[in-house]
Structure formats: C-alpha cells, structure tokens
Amino acid sequence: MTPGFLHGIAAPRIYTAFEDMLDVWQEKERLAQGHAFQAPSDVYHAALDAVWSLVFGADISNSTTKFALRSLSSMQNVDLPSNLDKEVIIPETPLPAGMAAVVSLVDTLAISVTSPMPVLTHWVIRQLPQYRRNHRIRDNFIRDEVEKTRLRFEGKAEKDLEVRCAMDDIMRRELIACEKEGREPMYHSRAMYDEVRPDIPCQSRKKLMVQIFGFVVAAHDTTATTITWALKFLADNPAVQDKLRAEVLAGHAVAVAEKRAPTAAEIAKKSIPYLDAAQEEVIRCSLTEASVVRTAMTDVELLGKRIPKGTDVFFMGNGPSIFSPAFQIDDSLRSPTAKSAKDRIGSWDPSDMAKFNPERWLVAGDDGGKEFNAAAGPLLTFGLGPRGCYGRRLAYVEMKIFLTLLVWKFELQKCPVELSGYASMDALTHAPQQCFVRLKSIA
C-alpha cells in the first residue's frame, strides 16, 4: 500500500468505477422521476469493480457497472408509484460469471460466520456443487490473470517489468524472490493463487500471508458498507452535505472554472480538511467493524483482570468513549505504557458524541483556519498498531474519491421516514437494512 501504488495504480481504477456508478445513477434518476430507489447493490458492485480491476488489472469496460449502464440506457421508463414517497423498483442487471462466483462465495462466508457452528456449517457448504462450481470459476479466473502477466513479463529484466495492478506486483515480487532463492518461479502454486506476499520465503507463507480472495472480499465489502452509511448520513444531514460540497468545490477551483469534475490525481493531491473530517465521521458512525479482536499470546493482566493465554479479547468500537460517555477507570490499574499514551488521543464531548458531526475532527490551525486531526478522539474501526487493517490507506482513497464525485454531481435529498431506517442488516456486515437515495443532479 505504498503511495505509488495507491495514487498511480489504485486511484485511477477506483475513480473510473465510481464515475461509472454515478453515470448509472444519472440513468436511474431519469427513470425514477423524483422517487427514491435502492442504492446498496450499485455501491457494492462498483466497489467490487474497483478492487477487481486494481488487483487483477481487469478491463473496466467489461465491468458490472458498465453492463448495468448499457442496460439502463436502453430503458425508456419503469413502473412508477402514484405516491412520490414510495420507492421505485428498477430492474437489477445480472453479474458476469466471475463476479457472481465471488459474490456467492462471500455469501457463504456470511452464512458460516453467523452460524452457531461455523466450522461444521462451512464444511457442509463446501460439499455443495454450487460452491465447488464457484470455487472453480474463481480459480480459473486467477489462473488466466496469472498467465497473462507471466507472458507479458517473460524474458524481461526486473527494471523493465511494468506494474499495472496488484497481481503484476505479486508476480514481480515472485520473480525477485525466486532469483534470490535460486529456484524456479511458482506462477501457478496455491501460494500464488491464495496469497499476496510471495517475496516471503516459501516455508513462511502459509502462516504469514493474506489471501488474495480475502483481500478482494475485505476491500470491497467493508468499503461498500461504509459508503451506504455515508449516503444515509449525508441525506439526513443536509447542512453537512452542503458544507462538504462547498469545501470540495472551493478546493478544486480549477476544475470548477473548467466545468469538469476533478481528476483522480487532483483528488489525491488536494487536502481538504472538511472532506477528511466527513469521511472520518462516516467511518466512526457506520460501525462497519464494531470491534477489534486480539488473542492473548501469554497470560496477561488488563485493567486489573487476569486474562489467560489463548483468550480472545474484544475491544469494542461502539461502546463507552465512542458513542456514550466513558466510565471512570482508576489509573492505578493501567500499565506504565498505557499511562504514557493516555493523552495521545482526545476525547469526545459527551453531549453530542452519538451525533453525526464532522466538525469534531477539526481543530484550529496555525494560519487561523481549520485543520483535520485524526487523533481528535477514539476510533477503532481499523484497529491499531502493527496488526491494524492492511487496507486502511486504500479505504481512505476510495472514500475520498467517492465523496468528492458524489457531492460534485448530485444532491442527496432526504427520503421519506419509512425509507430511512437506521437498523443494520446483520451482525457480520453491519450494512443498513434500508439505503434508498433520492437524487437531484447538479448542473
């Protein structure tokens, strides 16, 4: 997740995916004629398109969102309810086979994790013909992408290897590693298919690697969930939305003057404190990951309580100090390390800590303006320390691009009360049960 990869490879592909999604929404706005429509599947597919493209270098012109755009463009109308407060049903377009296989495999994970017996449940699922078919489709796709890169890299020196996506970088690392280890490249090994760090010696891979499939799932599913919450927060807080739009327009004065949207490079380079604050507040309030879990590797004492080795410790990201007043803890129970770090993170005002308010992340700057302060208060969504979320930087790039393009092109209008519930979908994804959007294009 180097700046070069994020801004040079990931950002342009993310930009294209979300730009295509907003083009889809322009078609849906035309068909909906003022009615609200469901947003989650569009967001989910666009996030999947983005990560699919940046990981595998897949042709974005054949993406799920492009397919939907072509289908919607040919529609003249849909059945509209007589009541403007009722949602309109716009037909969904089917997913390409590779994408459909990934989505189906993700669904099996959700079923397993939320089952009373997850290991047994997943074993049963793995025996089903549909699961095996989807597993085969996924592996065949990865095999084809690996082979494309192998042929493109064949016979080239390391300095001539052009990296266009994450898979290219994996292959480049494998070539460097095999040269150091004096072995032949393992282009089609399970390690290459399942893991993203072939530069680590072979014997260490099974313990230390993150699966490519796991990265694809985590990178798009969590981002899509957070974005759906962003849609609700911005629609229900018009003052925040208006200020965000004003700050984004002011920050991209050249694009405004040229009557175009800012490019991916312009968005990446530009620092807009209120935009940073808004996306941080969306992440805090969305509770995409409501807890961080760590396993005690030795017997340890936490706040005066003995924790035996092997115990799973849950650090809640939605409890006291996050959305409700913190309870008092005697400093005598804290370790010296905890005491020394006590003042590194601020605290929230108990009177409004449960409200959506990006201003809480802004502090006075040296020039008299406002600056974004990532340590203004507690946030555990990405975890902390060396075992924090691998994709954190990527998530921020995705959110920054999406929020910029969204407020540039559309005004999110408040939906009727019956379409504006805040209950989450389930304990695994924390996605909202309802996420309707009512859009107004900005000329």
Side-chain angles (χ1 to χ4, degrees), residues 74-208:
S74 64
M75 291 185 188
Q76 298 303 313
N77 53 63
V78 294
D79 292 333
L80 296 173
S82 56
N83 186 345
L84 195 60
D85 285 343
K86 297 296 183 182
E87 75 271 20
V88 62
I89 306 299
I90 299 178
E92 295 285 341
T93 51
L95 293 172
M99 296 283 199
V102 169
V103 171
S104 179
L105 290 173
V106 172
D107 290 342
T108 66
L109 293 176
I111 294 170
S112 300
V113 171
T114 56
S115 165
M117 296 182 289
V119 175
L120 177 60
T121 300
H122 200 60
W123 181 87
V124 172
I125 290 173
R126 292 200 307 273
Q127 313 313 309
L128 300 176
Q130 179 73 8
Y131 180 92
R132 295 187 177 189
R133 186 182 74 85
N134 289 331
H135 198 280
R136 189 165 54 251
I137 291 173
R138 185 201 68 181
D139 280 1
N140 288 342
F141 178 85
I142 296 176
R143 183 180 298 110
D144 290 345
E145 294 304 316
V146 169
E147 189 64 14
K148 288 176 187 176
T149 302
R150 185 190 70 78
L151 293 173
R152 191 158 57 81
F153 281 7
E154 196 169 43
K156 292 185 178 180
E158 180 187 336
K159 63 182 179 61
D160 298 322
L161 301 179
E162 182 186 4
V163 175
R164 302 175 182 174
C165 61
M167 180 63 75
D168 288 356
D169 194 44
I170 293 169
M171 297 285 280
R172 181 184 66 82
R173 289 171 181 264
E174 168 65 7
L175 287 170
I176 295 171
C178 72
E179 185 175 337
K180 289 180 178 178
E181 297 172 14
R183 60 173 174 79
E184 290 297 313
M186 298 184 297
Y187 294 122
H188 294 289
S189 67
R190 282 314 315 174
M192 180 61 71
Y193 284 20
D194 291 343
E195 296 156 359
V196 298
R197 289 282 306 284
D199 55 317
I200 293 178
C202 303
Q203 64 270 22
S204 302
R205 287 178 183 159
K206 291 299 179 185
K207 294 183 179 179
L208 300 180

Side-chain angles (χ1 to χ4, degrees), residues 191-234:
M192 180 61 71
Y193 284 20
D194 291 343
E195 296 156 359
V196 298
R197 289 282 306 284
D199 55 317
I200 293 178
C202 303
Q203 64 270 22
S204 302
R205 287 178 183 159
K206 291 299 179 185
K207 294 183 179 179
L208 300 180
M209 304 306 173
V210 178
Q211 295 184 344
I212 286 178
F213 179 61
F215 174 67
V216 170
V217 171
H220 90 272
D221 197 63
T222 52
T223 300
T225 295
T226 307
I227 287 174
T228 54
W229 283 112
L231 297 171
K232 297 180 71 64
F233 295 139
L234 292 177

Side-chain angles (χ1 to χ4, degrees), residues 319-337:
S321 82
I322 304 289
F323 286 106
S324 61
F327 49 82
Q328 293 299 314
I329 296 175
D330 192 329
D331 273 357
S332 65
L333 299 177
R334 299 184 187 275
S335 68
T337 305

Side-chain angles (χ1 to χ4, degrees), residues 76 102 219 245 347 405:
Q76 298 303 313
V102 169
R245 182 176 296 106
S347 58
L405 293 179

Side-chain angles (χ1 to χ4, degrees), residues 50-66:
V51 72
W52 199 264
S53 177
L54 71 90
V55 170
F56 299 114
D59 183 2
I60 201 72
S61 65
N62 293 324
S63 70
T64 303
T65 307
K66 284 286 191 186

